[in-house]
Amino acid sequence: MTEFESLGIVGSGIMGSGIAETAIDSGHEVVILARTPQSAQSVLRSVQASLSKRVEKGHKASSQTEEDLSRLSVTTEIADLSNCDLVIETVVEDISVKSRIINDLDVVCKPSTVLASNTSTIPLIELAAKTKRPEKVCGIHFFNPAPVMKLVEIVRTLVVSDETIQRARRFALECGKEPVEVSDRAGFIVNALLFPYLNNAIKMLEMNVASKEGIDTAMRGGCGFPMGPFALLDLVGLDTALAILNSLHEEFGDPNYSPAPLLKRMVAAKMLGRKSRAGFYSYEN
Ligand code: 3HC
């Protein structure tokens, strides 16, 4: 028995697919809600590909992968999430889109369903207020790549119940993660500390202090970070980084959060990082 027998995930992007992989790997039944049949098939393929890579590396038996995949389904109908015990939304970092989805989930899902958001910066209380079950709405924030990164931030609003928070913690532990509780402030812990650093790296590049390769090498070698700031920005997605900085700036008004002009221009040019195959670096696939 797992804390939440069946899990719904809304969104078929990097986070949706990574959280789905993590959850099936730890024995949960998962259904992913995608916007189109094409994106539904594509998220299925990306989970399959990631699991196959682990088989190739000898970390997983292929029979185990088949078993994992038998716990995963995809849909384009929100009604298919009605019986889920927990639903995590992982859609674009836009409050109007997230509000609409959380409201639709509140209408469709059974009364006991816990509704969670993987948002990095949007106030959870504003999403909770769109439902008739604010005590069952919290943040469950995974990090990219979700199957690898250990941390899950569990976000407590002013009105969420202790039971919901405890259940979210137990779910994260079942997924093999290390949950840390944090209150409902933009950026929570990690992004509030990480994004000024990433933003300042871009500003340093704009000032021609060093090349992007030089800055990345310096932060890997000098601080022991697994990736330098530009490689990490490309992994996170420059559109996501811009949305996070804008939210942090709006919440705290600190100039440190004001997005570097180069970041804004790159997003306008649709240079979004790995997902568009061009960001600070170029990617073959
Ligand atoms: N899915 C599944 N597994 C993955 C993966 C993915 N997308 N990417 C890497 N892995 C696995 C690999 O298979 C490998 O497993 P193994 O060691 O068991 O063989 C392991 O992770 C290490 O990967 P690699 O050998 O390919 O490469 P690295 O050792 O360079 O690790 C990395 C890659 C894990 C991405 C590492 O560079 C890293 O930890 N980078 C920092 C990532 C980070 O800081 N993430 C947080 C971003 S902020 C965020 O997510 C918040 C959000 O709100 C924006």
Side-chain angles (χ1 to χ4, degrees), residues 174-197:
E174 280 172 1
C175 289
K177 303 298 183 191
E178 210 170 341
V180 172
E181 195 181 312
V182 54
S183 63
D184 186 17
R185 295 286 179 282
F188 313 129
I189 300 169
V190 172
N191 286 345
L193 294 174
L194 176 65
F195 277 81
Y197 152 69

Side-chain angles (χ1 to χ4, degrees), residues 50 57 59 120 141 143-145 147-149 191 226-227 232 236:
S50 184
K57 287 190 170 182
H59 294 328
S120 333
H141 184 214
F143 290 79
N144 185 7
V148 183
M149 304 306 286
N191 286 345
M227 292 176 134
L232 184 54
V236 166

